Amino acid sequence: MKTLVVYDSLYGNTAQLAEAIGAATGESQVLRVAEAKPSELSSFDLVVIGAPTQGGRATDAMRAFLERVPGWPYSIHGCAPGGSKSSATPPTGSPRR
């Protein structure tokens, strides 16, 4: 399965998690959100999104990226102080707010 892992990371924790997910999924590409292009998402079978949480929300950069890919189903992983946190979005691909 061709997988893309797109992440944002402030202190390196989410970057480590993104790299681990990429390694575990086999044929994968791991990109920081600033390098990812929404127009290329359709060439992947699975897209995994990761971002640190700030006040219970993804970073501004990640939210801006997600707003450019409406209707795309995705899964989000992220890190929060004291542990990790993950959630899956509804099939519409709309981020939880």
Side-chain angles (χ1 to χ4, degrees), residues 66-82:
L66 293 174
E67 288 173 6
R68 295 191 334 247
V69 288
W72 188 264
Y74 51 81
S75 170
I76 298 178
H77 73 84
C79 293

Side-chain angles (χ1 to χ4, degrees), residues 46-79:
L46 174 65
V47 177
V48 180
I49 306 292
T53 55
Q54 298 177 337
R57 304 175 110 193
T59 60
D60 289 342
M62 184 57 73
R63 289 197 328 259
F65 175 80
L66 293 174
E67 288 173 6
R68 295 191 334 247
V69 288
W72 188 264
Y74 51 81
S75 170
I76 298 178
H77 73 84
C79 293

Side-chain angles (χ1 to χ4, degrees), residues 23-42:
T25 57
E27 184 184 353
S28 65
Q29 186 173 1
V30 179
L31 296 175
R32 192 168 195 108
V33 69
E35 302 168 334
K37 297 177 182 162
S39 61
E40 297 177 358
L41 296 182
S42 62

Side-chain angles (χ1 to χ4, degrees), residues 5-9 13-18 21 48-54 57-59 62 75-88:
V5 181
V6 179
Y7 74 93
D8 196 15
S9 188
N13 297 322
T14 306
Q16 289 178 349
L17 187 55
I21 291 169
V48 180
I49 306 292
T53 55
Q54 298 177 337
R57 304 175 110 193
T59 60
M62 184 57 73
S75 170
I76 298 178
H77 73 84
C79 293
S84 66
K85 184 185 236 184
S86 65
S87 64

